[in-house]
């Protein structure tokens, strides 16, 4: 089965970060930050990270255009925040998928990197990795202790968050399937974490 990883660098010191990538035999890192600079983790700034990964034989690429959470085109901000369902149908996003699929066939093992420790709070999973999961990829979300969480497990956590009383439905409650709960949970999370536009100031490229 095809596989793809995700990771949040905030949970790692840089040496441990590199060790974990090697442990999973990852050879290509896809940085999905729209602005690949960190105020608090300078070793993860684009130039520093790219140089370090290169020295260990890994490839670094920034896919802000394809997979970034902050897109400039306001048509993707349907409700004031980036609509993941809408943006994942864009030409840029689909081109990103095409490039990853081509790389996978050429024996590259990819990890999508952003900042947050928990994949359920980051667009690297809720927007990006979700689409690869739908394409049949085995998505492995690397935790800060070096273990990983499957996409199925992460989805169960989302449903537990948004449908905690799902087993207590009454005769008067609307019937909803598991898949509907999963989809609704992704949408609710999108509404919480989706990047929001200030209509007067435009897109705020905040460094995080």
């Amino acid at each position: 089965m095809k596989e793809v990883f995700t990771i949040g660098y905030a949970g790692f010191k840089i040496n441990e970060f590199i060790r974990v990538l090697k442990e999973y035999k990852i050879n290509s890192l896809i940085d999905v930050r729209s602005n690949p600079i960190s105020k608090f983790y300078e070793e993860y700034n684009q130039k520093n990270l790219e140089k370090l990964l290169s020295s260990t034989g890994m490839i670094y690429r920034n896919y802000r255009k394809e997979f970034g959470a902050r897109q400039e085109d306001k048509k993707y901000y349907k409700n004031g925040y980036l609509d993941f369902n809408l943006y994942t149908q864009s030409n840029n996003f689909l081109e990103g998928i095409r490039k990853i699929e081509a790389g996978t066939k050429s024996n590259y093992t990819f990890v999508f990197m952003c900042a947050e420790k928990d994949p359920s709070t980051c667009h690297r999973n809720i927007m990006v990795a979700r689409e690869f999961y739908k394409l049949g990829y085995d998505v492995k979300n690397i935790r800060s202790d070096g273990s990983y969480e499957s996409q199925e497990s992460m989805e169960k956590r989302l449903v537990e968050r948004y449908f905690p009383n799902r087993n207590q439905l009454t005769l008067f409650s609307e019937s909803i399937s598991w898949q509907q709960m999963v989809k609704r949970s992704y949408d609710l999370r999108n509404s919480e974490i989706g990047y929001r536009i200030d209509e007067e100031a435009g897109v705020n490229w905040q460094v995080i």
Side-chain angles (χ1 to χ4, degrees), residues 55-88:
S55 72
T56 63
M58 297 186 214
I59 294 172
Y60 169 96
R61 295 287 185 272
N62 181 273
Y63 274 33
R64 73 188 80 183
K65 178 181 176 182
E66 296 87 352
F67 296 154
R70 307 170 187 177
Q71 298 297 321
E72 292 182 310
D73 194 332
K74 293 183 180 180
K75 72 181 181 182
Y76 299 116
Y77 293 79
K78 185 177 178 181
N79 296 302
Y81 57 86
L82 186 69
D83 185 317
F84 295 168
N85 291 319
L86 190 59
Y87 183 67
T88 53

Side-chain angles (χ1 to χ4, degrees), residues 122-149:
C122 185
H123 86 286
R124 73 176 183 271
N125 182 287
I126 303 302
M127 183 175 81
V128 183
R130 179 193 181 192
E131 295 303 310
F132 284 88
Y133 185 58
K134 286 158 67 174
L135 290 171
Y137 280 73
D138 181 12
V139 175
K140 296 178 178 178
N141 300 289
I142 301 174
R143 297 187 178 109
S144 57
D145 65 358
S147 64
Y148 71 85
E149 178 182 31

